[in-house]
Amino acid sequence: MERLIAKGCILRPRPQRKTDCGNEELSDHRVTGLLPAGASGQSSRMGMTLLNQDLTTGIDYDLEALRNKYDQERDRRVSRRSTGKGQYVGTGGKFEAYSKDPWAERADRPPVQEHTSVIVAGGGFGGLLVGARLNEAGFDDVRVIEIGGDFGGTWYWNRYPGAMCDIEAHIYLPLLEELDYAPKHRYSYEPEMFEHSQRIGKAYGLYDKALFQTAITNAEWREDEQRWRIETDRDDVLTADYFILACGRQSLPKLPNLPGIDIFTPHTFHSSRWDYDYTGGDFSGNMTNLTDKRVGIIGTGATAVQIVPEVAQWAKELVVFQRTPSSVGVRGNRETPRDYVDMSKPGWQRERRNNFQAHILGLRPDTDLVGDGWTEVLDTLIPETPEDIERRLGRIPSRDERLLLAELNDNAVMNTLRARIEEMIDDPDTAEALKPWYRWWCKRPCFHDDYLAAFNRDNVTLVDTQGQGVEGFTENAVVVGGEEHQVDCLIFATGFESGIEYTHLTGFEITGRAGTPLSQHWSEGVRTLHGMSTDGFPNMFIVGGNVQTVNAVNAVQLLDEQAQHIAYILDTAQKRNLVAVEPTTTSVDEYVNLIHSSEKNKENLEFYIKCTPGYYNAEGTAKRSEDTFFGGRYGDGALAFYDMLDHWRKAQTLDGFALTPSPDGNSAEQ
């Protein structure tokens, strides 16, 4: 049998493209962060593909063997994880301590009873962007209600050592142009992102009415008053003309739902509630309390990839429990001077974001403004336009041929990543265990400069569970394959509750017109207009990528586009003297039908049900598009979605909304 890993596929060079990476030249290796040193004599540049009458001619690996390997790795994980998402448990009830805020002492305050124009649930980037865009539109009394002790959302909670964004900071951090702020690193670290969240709150006056350490317990539309009534766990009774949900996904930790977790006695905490009292030190390191400790980490996803190298520097011994390895390319993080990006051009951040998104969509813009591992990989996965393929083949490619070409390009990426592991890891068995055997988009791709090298340290042990995961816990040990692994401390890097509906995500019920709960309204499936509002719930809007919006790797751009859209609607309603705006049932039905008829969503489902289990495919149990993390969304891509919203606003008709004029006004627009 031919080998499965090709260190140098026979690949076709792509046309030279321009890069703009902060006015400096980067070698292909530094840009891609993927190419292994000493690849074979064949050209191995990223962005190449195999196109021939016989599409598989020239590949130097066994395609069928590789497919079988992927299937085998998936199947053994699915068979072990038949409960799907049931393998995890939330942090309610007996596990409530895992969600406790370690960053702020609870401050007493008297209950608030007050009316404001807008109440926003959530103070992460989504809530901050809504507040900022509404402030720009003239709303100066926006109230943000946030369960944490400050603004920041994900970057309030995730203060573990090594935490950083994995999207370039100049396109990830919100409102850089508006605040004239230049990130300090190419990929910002958590302290800077938390500080930037506070900067936004101060710049847009959002601290004035913010209620921190406060959870909403009930939200109800009062038809007779044409306003929302909000109750909280602080006995606040608040009213607002508009209610906006900006409840992000990265705040509800999840734990492995395994036998013995409730009797396990070593010290434990979730990565998003890091216990520096136990570890010592702070974000920058100095975790000296671990120098005599055997520390375990469950999880090898995006969070663990950042944590492992940091803990490895301080722990007497680090044991990493792995179910499925991540794909890991080079991060290439470094400090960035203020002129790293030309910030003098109006609209520079949106242009840079759109350029990045164009690469994600495989649109191949002539200039790569970001030039990192994301864009280089995507240029490889989709290296040619359909017209280019037709010219090379001399015919219009069939669907099967297009899928095969995509598979071969994907193999080129993953073979390179696996070859890089072989070169970096000293121990062959550890190297083999760290290899990801799945398609690149099956799990969240990771990029890091120090993760793989950490496994060459004498004090780091990888416990590969062979896809079966941890079996359970005894009083003082983690059980894998019947073997007990004793630890002094166990860190759960097990992620967040991602595949959940808003009524769970919010933690409270939302009641609309005629006393209808949102959970009942959506009992047969989510139904919205543009993913941001629903019929029967006047003056209520949703911000986030959770329902019927669009797939966007850069989630913050999606949040900003939504915030600007909602700000436009509220501003227009105010100018037209409207007391209520609500999408009609007809407009919602039409949009839901558009989502459900999307061929792209059907293709995505076909792809993800074949993937290794993870939160992208409901832990291998997805049966419908809506079951997948990326399913049930607008099918034509993020740029088309943003363009659709822009055209809708430019029409200036509030099309699809029922409009209720103020009793003392005279708005006749319907």
Side-chain angles (χ1 to χ4, degrees), residues 39 52 161 294 356 541:
N52 200 297
R294 192 170 197 250
F356 176 80
F541 297 89

Side-chain angles (χ1 to χ4, degrees), residues 101 103-104 123 145-151 153 156-157 211-215:
D101 187 348
W103 314 123
I145 301 177
E146 164 59 42
I147 195 170
D150 205 333
F151 291 119
Y156 173 83
W157 297 110
L211 297 179
F212 297 116
Q213 299 180 319
T214 301

Side-chain angles (χ1 to χ4, degrees), residues 526-528 530-531 546-550 591-592 595 632-634:
V526 173
R527 43 182 292 106
T528 69
H530 301 151
N546 303 287
V547 287
Q548 295 183 348
T549 51
V550 74
Y591 186 73
V592 171
I595 295 292
R633 313 290 183 90
Y634 182 79

Side-chain angles (χ1 to χ4, degrees), residues 474-499:
T474 65
E475 188 175 351
N476 59 3
V478 181
V479 181
V480 175
E483 181 180 351
E484 295 185 7
H485 300 266
Q486 293 191 358
V487 294
D488 301 304
C489 170
L490 184 63
I491 302 167
F492 293 112
T494 44
F496 302 88
E497 300 188 48
S498 58

Side-chain angles (χ1 to χ4, degrees), residues 264-440:
F264 188 64
T265 58
H267 191 77
T268 60
F269 56 87
H270 191 273
S271 58
S272 66
R273 306 294 192 270
W274 195 270
D275 190 349
Y276 284 109
D277 288 339
Y278 180 85
T279 65
D282 52 28
F283 177 85
S284 61
N286 300 312
M287 292 181 285
T288 54
N289 292 355
L290 298 181
T291 56
D292 62 346
K293 300 293 192 298
R294 192 170 197 250
V295 180
I297 293 179
I298 294 182
T300 50
T303 297
V305 163
Q306 297 181 351
I307 291 174
V308 165
E310 302 297 325
V311 175
Q313 295 181 56
W314 299 98
K316 176 182 179 181
E317 185 176 354
L318 173 61
V319 183
V320 181
F321 298 95
Q322 172 183 275
R323 181 186 72 171
T324 305
S326 290
S327 65
V328 184
V330 171
R331 176 74 291 163
N333 202 11
R334 59 191 182 277
E335 292 184 6
T336 50
R338 184 170 178 82
D339 64 352
Y340 174 76
V341 172
D342 181 3
M343 299 171 60
S344 65
K345 180 181 178 182
W348 70 265
Q349 190 177 37
R350 182 183 179 87
E351 178 187 22
R352 194 175 183 89
R353 284 173 167 174
N354 285 347
N355 180 268
F356 176 80
Q357 189 61 51
H359 284 277
I360 297 299
L361 295 171
L363 299 179
R364 296 166 50 80
D366 291 336
T367 300
D368 185 353
L369 296 180
V370 174
D372 68 352
W374 285 101
T375 61
E376 287 291 312
V377 167
L378 267 298
D379 281 350
T380 303
L381 295 180
I382 313 175
E384 291 189 302
T385 66
E387 293 76 17
D388 289 337
I389 297 174
E390 182 178 351
R391 279 193 294 269
R392 290 186 61 80
L393 290 177
R395 64 181 185 280
I396 299 175
S398 67
R399 182 176 184 274
D400 287 344
E401 286 176 323
R402 287 190 291 106
L403 292 176
L404 175 58
L405 289 171
E407 180 184 6
L408 296 176
N409 294 334
D410 194 295
N411 293 346
V413 170
M414 296 303 292
N415 283 341
T416 304
L417 286 169
R418 290 186 286 263
R420 177 172 176 261
I421 292 170
E422 285 188 352
E423 295 189 1
M424 290 192 65
I425 303 300
D426 296 337
D427 177 64
D429 291 337
T430 302
E432 193 62 33
L434 287 169
K435 290 177 183 176
W437 296 103
Y438 47 78
R439 298 279 291 271
W440 192 72

